[in-house]
């Protein structure tokens, strides 16, 4: 009996173990500890990328923590076909992920990312499953060599969209298929040719002319669309850049092209094009596309091998349209395919009435509840009103009247004409530094001390209040024998005495604007504006702390405000651009470099605003930093465009202000820029004035050494105009000295100028520093410089500043520069016809 029980016990244990193993095998694998790397071909601001990533994350986040989903944006649209950039990406991903994380799965979005992953699989992705999506090129050959890879081809539904165009526009006679000359664009062109060849055998498409556009500038494309004949249509396939290397923005450029086009434009790429001017199309949703790829990925993470999941060769396309564009081209909604999605469509009458009724009921209920609450809390409401009134007209920190009280008081005394008042606005200079040094609580206590002292020491008849964070206002009636000078003297005495704070004395410097009301300002609004203008003028001047208002200040202030507005608009609308003035070797008669000069497009067509009209205002309003970043971006963009076209590059220099140079933000931006553009090391130069170095030599040394270490060389601009001191050449990494034009203009008849230039050349010839002479305009000047041993010059004798496309032509030409100068005009710049008018039309 015992043996039988023992036998059944063993069978039971075995059964339980087998059942447990079966449960473990059938239970989906937990993926909480898995790490997934997503490689996206584009950049995060590209709406297609962000929506596709959202679709993937919304599926995977149910099982994987979001912090375990790593996303890298490869930014291939801006660096397409750039081998050096591809190597940089390989090093970056190898460093970030190979040793730090145990990557279980790689998801790749778009062609560049899949090609990158497959080519480098053996080095950093070996054995890791890959799921791809958004693929247009044919990767069948490469996929045969790689196991454990599956995914979804995006496909380009060219035939489906042509059929949709034929349905929506039954009378269509011409369809232009628009792509570009990039690798992806040419792949789309080949697919389009195959589709067109097949459609020629279908009677349904007889009489329709098909045209493929892939070689054009943006302006040429716009011109072609404007001239499309009646009963035509355009189909946007893959457009990333034009034949000038200009990056194509769907959010900005597509809308402009659609508005210019005489015929409807159709598209394939969902939210990327829909709502940006296209009429519609058989479209792919990036979000849904990302979700479908993520479902495949989830199966792999749960244990299913990638090779066991079939590759899908065409993504889900569905018809989408824009109601407003349909109306513009008078397209009947009845012609749209069944199941079409239409955006921007107005609500139907029933829906509109229901919505109005619902909102009305909701408002009625809210009003009823509000009325009941008000009836039950009359006393509390009155207390709240009293509290709000106090807050509205009194400063909570100092208990003084606030800015609202000041405005109310000014409107009150405005009605007392012809009575006169002296009004002052006192600003505490550098109070932000006090807050940073002592802390905000200490800063508040100091403001309370200032308010208390002003209240005690100002005459009893003064109306005193706090205007803003660190500003106080004073209004005095002239009946009490107060004048501008007396008030200015009183305020100065109040702040000349140090403030005691935690056993230390603090001296506060002030900037004060004073005016007579209503002599200087006739209305309350004028008073406030003019008082601000006087105070701001005091802040700008270092010699005085008090400024009395005069009539010239509002005009200066309005001009500055107008220029600031233009600068902000130019930054927002990408109106800044670069022109380049070449540097020429006298002995070689060839271009050996160029200086990049900033320009701003004006409001009128073709007008240009020069730096003299906006740089000074930009520096005073601290907008110069943003302009400098724009200059760097534009120059790097131009240089990469030339580099991509195989053009021999020469060093390009730009000017930076002293304020910008010592900002850590700018240096960090340059470091990041050169890190992703290693091919430009040694070809990018910054020009600085001597005063920048003399003001703070230690800071300059550290900053310039950092720039020199990352491949940016330094030039001293306008050399010879200030306290020229060659001693810093041995302390600082200076590459070039740029001789100012003031030393060149009279060298043919001024022996002193020639001697100075000879001395400079003698001093630098045995150093590593080179010289560049600016402002050379005549053959006589050129001959003298040649005799003195100068080789590199810059000036109208050779070239005026020119647009980037002209410099591109010049650098790609094998012709030498031959200046021909007569009667104060440059007639010809090279013995090639395309350069004859280059200098006569300045940029």
């Amino acid at each position: 009996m015992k043996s039988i029980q023992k036998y059944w016990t063993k069978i039971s244990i075995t059964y339980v173990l087998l059942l447990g193993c079966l449960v473990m095998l059938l239970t989906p694998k937990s993926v909480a500890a898995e790490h997934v790397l997503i490689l996206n071909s584009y950049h995060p601001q590209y709406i297609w990328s962000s929506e596709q990533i959202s679709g993937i994350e919304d599926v995977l986040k149910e099982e994987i923590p979001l912090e375990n989903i790593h996303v890298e944006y490869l930014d291939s649209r801006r660096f397409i076909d750039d081998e050096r950039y591809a190597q940089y990406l390989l090093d970056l991903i190898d460093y970030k992920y190979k040793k730090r994380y145990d990557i279980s799965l790689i998801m790749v979005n778009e062609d560049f990312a899949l090609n990158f992953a497959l080519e480098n699989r053996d080095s950093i992705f070996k054995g890791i499953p890959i799921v791809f999506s958004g693929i247009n090129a044919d990767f069948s050959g490469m996929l045969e060599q790689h196991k454990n890879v599956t995914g979804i081809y995006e496909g380009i539904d060219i035939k489906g969209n042509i059929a949709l165009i034929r349905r929506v526009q039954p009378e269509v006679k011409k369809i232009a298929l628009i792509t570009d000359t990039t690798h992806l664009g040419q792949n789309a062109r080949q697919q389009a040719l195959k589709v067109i060849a097949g459609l020629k055998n279908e009677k349904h498409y007889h009489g329709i002319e098909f045209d493929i556009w892939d070689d054009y500038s943006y302006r040429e494309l716009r011109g072609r669309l404007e001239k499309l004949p009646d009963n035509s249509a355009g189909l946007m396939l893959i457009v990333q850049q034009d034949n000038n290397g200009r990056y194509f923005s769907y959010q900005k450029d597509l809308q402009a092209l659609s508005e210019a086009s005489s015929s409807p434009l159709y598209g394939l790429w969902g939210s990327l094009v829909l709502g940006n001017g296209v009429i519609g199309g058989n479209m792919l949703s990036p979000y849904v596309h990302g979700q479908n790829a993520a479902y495949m990925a989830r199966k792999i993470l749960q244990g299913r091998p990638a090779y066991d999941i079939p590759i899908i060769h065409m993504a889900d396309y569905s018809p989408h349209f824009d109601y407003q564009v349909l109306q513009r081209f008078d397209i009947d909604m009845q012609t749209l395919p069944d199941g079409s999605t239409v955006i921007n469509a107005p609500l139907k009458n029933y829906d509109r009435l229901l919505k109005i009724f619902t909102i009305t009921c909701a408002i009625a209920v809210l009003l009823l509840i509000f009325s009941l609450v008000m009836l039950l809390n009359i006393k509390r409401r009155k207390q709240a009103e009293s509290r709000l009134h106090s807050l509205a007209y009194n400063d909570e920190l100092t208990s003084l009247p606030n800015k609202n009280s000041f405005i109310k008081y000014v409107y009150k005394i405005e009605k007392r004409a012809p009575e006169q008042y002296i009004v002052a606005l006192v600003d505490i200079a550098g109070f932000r530094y006090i807050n940073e040094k002592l802390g905000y609580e200490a800063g508040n206590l100091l403001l309370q001390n200032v308010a208390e002292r002003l209240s005690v020491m100002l005459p009893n008849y003064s109306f005193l209040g706090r205007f803003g964070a660190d500003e106080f206002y004073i209004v005095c009636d002239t009946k009490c024998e107060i004048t501008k000078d007396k008030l200015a003297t009183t305020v100065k005495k109040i702040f000349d005495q140090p403030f005691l704070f935690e056993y230390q004395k603090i001296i506060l410097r002030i900037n004060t604007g004073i005016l007579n009301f209503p002599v200087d300002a006739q209305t309350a609004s004028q008073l406030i504006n003019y008082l601000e203008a006087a105070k701001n003028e005091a802040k700008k001047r270092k010699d005085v702390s008090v400024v009395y208002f005069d009539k010239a200040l509002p005009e200066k202030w309005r001009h500055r405000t107008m220029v600031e507005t233009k600068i902000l608009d130019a930054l927002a609308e990408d109106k800044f651009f670069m022109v380049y003035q070449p540097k020429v070797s006298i002995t070689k008669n060839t271009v050996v470099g160029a200086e990049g000069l900033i320009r701003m497009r004006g409001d009128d067509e073709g007008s240009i605003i020069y730096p003299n009209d906006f740089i000074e205002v930009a520096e005073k309003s601290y907008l110069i930093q943003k302009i400098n970043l724009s200059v760097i971006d534009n120059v790097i963009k131009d240089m990469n465009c030339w580099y991509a076209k195989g053009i021999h590059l020469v060093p390009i220099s730009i000017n930076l202000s002293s304020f910008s140079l010592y900002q850590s933000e700018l240096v960090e931006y340059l470091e990041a820029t050169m890190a992703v553009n290693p091919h430009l090391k040694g070809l990018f130069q910054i020009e600085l004035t001597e005063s920048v170095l003399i003001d703070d030599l230690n800071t300059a040394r550290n900053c310039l050494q950092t720039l020199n270490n990352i491949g940016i060389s330094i030039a001293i601009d306008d050399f010879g105009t200030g306290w020229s001191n060659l001693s810093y050449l041995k302390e600082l990494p200076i590459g070039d000295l740029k001789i100012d034009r003031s030393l060149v203009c009279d060298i043919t008849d001024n022996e002193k100028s020639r001697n100075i230039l000879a001395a400079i050349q003698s001093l630098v010839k045995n150093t590593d520093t080179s010289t560049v002479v600016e402002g050379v305009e005549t053959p006589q000047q050129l001959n003298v410089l040649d005799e003195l041993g100068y080789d590199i010059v810059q000036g109208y004798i050779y070239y005026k500043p020119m647009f980037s496309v002209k410099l591109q032509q010049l650098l790609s030409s094998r012709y030498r520069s031959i200046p021909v100068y007569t009667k104060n005009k440059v007639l010809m710049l090279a013995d090639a016809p395309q350069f004859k008018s280059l200098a006569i039309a300045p940029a």
Side-chain angles (χ1 to χ4, degrees):
M1 189 68 176
K2 291 183 178 180
S3 61
I4 293 174
Q5 289 178 344
K6 188 175 182 181
Y7 173 74
W8 280 108
T9 301
K10 289 183 178 179
I11 291 177
S12 300
I13 293 172
T14 305
Y15 174 77
V16 170
L17 290 173
L18 289 173
L19 183 61
C21 292
L22 183 61
V23 170
M24 291 176 64
L25 290 171
L26 295 178
T27 301
K29 180 184 176 183
S30 174
V31 293
E34 304 284 1
H35 286 264
V36 174
L37 173 61
I38 304 175
L39 300 179
N40 195 298
S41 292
Y42 303 140
H43 54 89
Q45 288 76 30
Y46 190 50
I47 190 171
W48 187 274
S49 302
S50 58
E51 291 195 11
Q52 194 171 3
I53 294 297
S54 295
I56 293 173
E57 290 180 340
D58 285 350
V59 172
L60 294 186
K61 70 182 181 181
E62 297 177 2
E63 302 181 71
I64 302 178
L66 278 176
E67 60 266 24
N68 286 13
I69 302 175
H70 311 276
V71 183
E72 286 294 332
Y73 295 93
L74 307 185
D75 205 2
S76 66
R77 295 189 85 236
R78 293 193 254 209
F79 297 94
I80 195 164
D81 301 330
D82 189 330
E83 293 183 2
R84 291 194 181 188
Y85 182 68
Q87 182 59 47
Y88 162 76
L89 291 176
L90 180 61
D91 294 339
L92 174 68
I93 292 173
D94 180 60
Y95 176 77
K96 286 183 70 173
Y97 298 105
K98 190 171 183 179
K99 296 178 181 178
R100 292 171 180 257
Y101 302 105
D102 184 13
I103 301 297
S104 304
L105 175 70
I106 295 170
M107 299 190 71
V108 293
N109 301 336
E110 315 302 336
D111 296 39
F112 181 88
L114 178 57
N115 187 71
F116 177 82
L118 294 178
E119 283 189 347
N120 301 291
R121 197 175 189 197
D122 289 341
S123 57
I124 58 175
F125 302 135
K126 192 169 185 178
I128 301 176
I130 295 177
V131 175
F132 62 80
S133 59
I135 304 302
N136 286 307
D138 183 8
F139 279 87
S140 57
M142 292 185 71
L143 292 178
E144 288 178 358
Q145 304 172 22
H146 294 272
K147 296 181 179 180
N148 223 13
V149 180
T150 190
I152 307 172
Y153 278 99
E154 191 171 74
I156 303 179
D157 189 13
I158 299 174
K159 185 174 181 179
N161 271 280
I162 292 175
L164 182 140
I165 294 171
R166 181 71 176 79
R167 174 177 178 139
V168 174
Q169 294 177 248
E171 304 300 324
V172 67
K173 299 297 181 185
K174 178 174 181 176
I175 299 176
L177 292 89
I178 306 167
T179 181
D180 62 20
T181 57
T182 64
H183 176 74
L184 293 177
Q186 290 304 295
N187 178 55
R189 173 187 173 86
Q190 294 303 318
Q191 294 187 48
L193 289 172
K194 291 179 182 178
V195 171
I196 292 170
L199 293 179
K200 288 182 179 179
N201 298 323
E202 299 185 24
K203 292 182 180 180
H204 195 58
Y205 296 98
H206 287 180
I208 298 179
E209 176 190 351
F210 294 99
D211 195 2
I212 297 179
W213 299 349
D214 64 343
D215 190 7
Y216 49 79
S217 66
Y218 175 77
R219 181 173 293 182
E220 290 169 347
L221 177 58
R222 180 170 180 153
R224 291 187 191 182
L225 290 172
E226 289 174 348
K227 297 177 182 178
L228 274 175
D230 294 339
N231 295 327
S232 297
L235 176 58
M236 304 290 292
L237 299 180
I238 291 179
V239 181
Q240 301 191 55
Q241 63 183 30
D242 65 7
N243 58 14
N244 287 330
R246 183 185 187 275
Y247 172 77
F248 185 85
S249 168
Y250 283 92
Q251 285 75 23
K252 178 180 178 182
D253 297 335
L254 183 55
Q255 187 73 45
L257 290 177
S258 175
E259 292 173 357
S261 177
S262 61
S263 299
L265 287 181
Y266 295 79
L268 291 75
W269 310 119
S271 55
L272 189 65
V273 297
L274 196 63
N276 287 324
V278 299
I279 194 170
N282 207 29
M283 295 185 177
L284 173 63
S285 164
Y287 180 82
V288 174
H289 196 46
Q291 281 187 313
N292 291 336
Y295 290 135
M296 288 183 164
R298 192 161 65 179
K299 291 177 182 178
I300 295 171
L301 291 172
Q302 292 175 350
R304 188 171 174 181
Y307 59 76
D308 194 36
I309 303 174
I311 292 174
I312 299 174
H313 291 276
M314 177 65 80
D316 295 332
Y317 283 81
S318 58
H320 288 70
F321 294 91
D322 189 325
Y323 179 83
Q324 294 180 356
V325 187
L326 289 169
Q327 293 297 301
R328 174 190 166 195
F329 289 101
D330 197 24
I331 301 295
D332 188 352
M333 296 279 286
Q334 298 300 320
T335 63
L336 305 185
D338 295 337
S340 295
T341 300
V342 180
I343 68 168
N344 296 326
L347 293 173
K348 296 179 181 178
N349 289 335
Y350 173 79
D351 293 335
R352 186 186 297 111
L353 291 174
L354 180 61
K355 185 175 182 180
I356 293 172
F357 176 75
T358 303
I359 293 173
T360 304
C361 290
I363 293 173
V365 172
L366 288 173
L367 286 174
L368 178 61
I369 295 172
F370 182 73
S371 299
L372 291 173
V373 171
M374 291 297 292
L375 288 172
L376 294 172
N377 295 280
I378 292 176
K379 183 178 180 180
R380 187 176 298 173
R381 184 195 66 186
K382 288 183 177 179
Q383 292 174 343
E385 287 177 352
S386 176
R387 171 66 175 164
L388 288 173
H389 184 273
S390 176
L391 291 174
Y393 291 98
N394 292 280
D395 177 55
E396 195 169 12
L397 177 66
T398 63
S399 299
L400 292 174
N402 61 11
K403 185 176 180 179
N404 291 333
S405 290
F406 173 71
I407 295 171
K408 185 178 180 180
Y409 185 77
V410 171
Y411 276 111
K412 183 178 178 180
I413 65 176
E414 183 182 4
K415 300 175 182 178
R416 298 179 183 174
E419 296 182 22
Q420 295 186 21
Y421 299 83
I422 305 300
V423 187
L425 182 60
V426 182
D427 172 82
I428 302 175
F431 198 77
R432 180 185 297 177
Y433 172 75
I434 293 174
N435 277 334
E436 292 174 353
K437 183 180 179 182
L438 301 178
Y440 285 98
E441 290 186 7
N444 287 339
L445 288 173
L446 190 58
L447 286 172
Q448 290 173 336
N449 291 339
V450 170
E452 183 178 355
R453 184 182 292 184
L454 286 170
S455 300
V456 171
M457 299 184 68
L458 283 172
N460 294 330
Y461 47 78
S462 303
F463 181 66
L464 169 68
R466 187 181 179 199
F467 194 78
D470 52 8
E471 295 177 327
F472 296 85
Y473 60 80
I474 305 164
V475 184
C476 298
D477 193 331
T478 56
K479 287 182 179 179
C480 301
E481 299 181 354
I482 191 74
T483 64
K484 292 180 182 178
D485 290 339
K486 284 184 179 180
L487 182 57
T489 302
T490 301
V491 172
K492 186 175 184 301
K493 286 181 179 178
I494 290 173
F495 283 93
D496 280 346
Q497 302 175 36
F499 288 82
L500 293 176
F501 183 78
E502 293 184 354
Y503 307 105
Q504 57 181 316
K505 295 181 179 180
I506 299 176
I507 298 293
L508 297 180
R509 192 172 67 84
I510 59 171
N511 301 303
T512 307
I514 298 181
L515 58 75
N516 189 317
F517 181 74
V519 175
D520 296 325
Q522 286 70 51
T523 65
S525 59
Q526 276 188 346
L527 167 65
I528 296 171
N529 290 335
Y530 291 177
L531 202 59
E532 288 268 16
K535 181 261 296 182
N536 287 322
E537 184 67 19
K539 291 177 72 173
K540 290 191 293 182
R541 294 171 58 176
K542 297 180 179 179
D543 54 336
V544 297
S545 62
V546 178
V547 168
Y548 298 147
F549 173 82
D550 67 62
K551 296 296 183 182
L553 285 178
E555 187 58 38
K556 289 173 62 178
W557 191 250
R558 278 195 292 271
H559 173 74
R560 174 176 170 176
T561 303
M562 180 187 68
V563 175
E564 286 179 0
T565 301
K566 285 188 176 182
I567 293 173
L568 289 169
D569 290 343
L571 288 167
E573 299 171 14
D574 197 21
K575 287 186 177 182
F576 284 110
F577 66 97
M578 302 302 296
V579 297
Y580 300 91
Q581 186 174 28
K583 302 172 186 176
V584 180
S585 167
I586 299 174
T587 56
K588 299 177 182 177
N589 272 338
T590 56
V591 174
V592 294
E595 179 180 0
L597 304 167
I598 187 73
R599 298 288 187 266
M600 183 168 70
R601 295 185 181 88
D603 296 331
D604 299 329
E605 185 70 25
S607 65
I608 295 175
I609 301 174
Y610 293 85
N612 289 343
D613 296 325
F614 62 83
I615 288 297
E616 182 180 355
V617 172
E619 290 179 336
K620 290 179 179 178
S621 58
Y622 302 102
L623 291 172
I624 191 66
Q625 183 75 309
K626 294 183 178 180
I627 293 178
N628 283 330
L629 298 182
S630 176
V631 168
I632 294 168
D633 287 344
N634 276 287
V635 171
I636 294 296
K637 177 182 175 183
D638 287 340
M639 295 181 76
N640 278 326
C641 177
W642 302 331
Y643 179 80
K645 294 181 179 181
I647 294 171
H648 175 69
L649 297 182
V650 295
I652 303 294
S653 62
I654 61 171
N655 287 278
L656 291 183
S657 69
S658 57
F659 169 82
S660 300
L661 178 66
Y662 297 139
Q663 302 300 308
S664 59
E665 177 190 357
L666 180 73
V667 177
E668 291 170 1
Y669 191 77
L670 285 168
E671 288 181 305
T673 300
M674 296 308 292
V676 297
N677 295 281
H679 53 287
L680 299 183
K681 287 186 176 181
L683 296 172
F684 195 73
Q685 186 180 67
I686 289 175
E687 296 185 9
L688 306 168
T689 58
E690 288 179 276
S691 60
V692 178
L693 310 178
I694 295 171
D695 290 344
D696 191 345
L697 189 59
N698 289 330
T699 304
R701 182 188 298 108
N702 297 333
C703 180
L704 299 190
Q705 194 58 56
T706 299
L707 295 179
N708 193 59
N709 291 340
I710 62 174
I712 297 177
S713 61
I714 309 300
I716 302 303
D717 195 18
D718 299 336
F719 185 79
T721 59
W723 298 94
S724 301
N725 184 358
L726 294 176
S727 64
Y728 53 68
L729 292 181
K730 65 181 180 180
E731 297 188 47
L732 304 176
I734 306 300
D736 291 334
L737 291 181
K738 297 196 72 177
I739 310 300
D740 187 70
R741 62 181 67 245
S742 61
L743 295 177
V744 180
C745 60
D746 60 351
I747 56 173
T748 56
D749 51 15
N750 189 323
E751 186 176 356
K752 182 178 290 186
S753 295
R754 289 196 299 274
N755 290 338
I756 292 173
L757 288 171
I760 294 173
Q761 181 67 4
S762 175
L763 287 169
V764 302
K765 69 179 180 180
N766 293 324
T767 68
D768 294 332
T769 308
S770 302
T771 55
V772 179
V773 185
E774 298 181 291
V776 184
E777 298 183 352
T778 68
Q780 292 81 8
Q781 293 171 347
L782 199 65
N783 290 336
V784 173
L785 292 171
D786 191 18
E787 292 172 0
L788 292 174
Y790 288 94
D791 181 43
I792 302 175
V793 300
Q794 181 181 346
Y796 287 7
I797 183 66
Y798 283 102
Y799 303 106
K800 290 186 178 181
M802 60 184 67
F803 295 108
S804 61
V805 67
K806 293 294 186 182
L807 182 61
Q808 174 183 316
Q809 294 173 349
L810 184 62
L811 295 177
S812 62
S813 171
R814 295 180 179 274
Y815 294 104
R816 289 188 172 187
S817 305
I818 303 175
V820 178
Y821 190 95
T822 179
K823 294 182 179 179
N824 298 324
K825 289 184 178 179
V826 177
L827 296 183
M828 189 168 67
L829 300 174
D831 51 2
Q834 62 265 40
F835 300 133
K836 287 186 177 180
S837 61
L838 211 53
I840 301 174

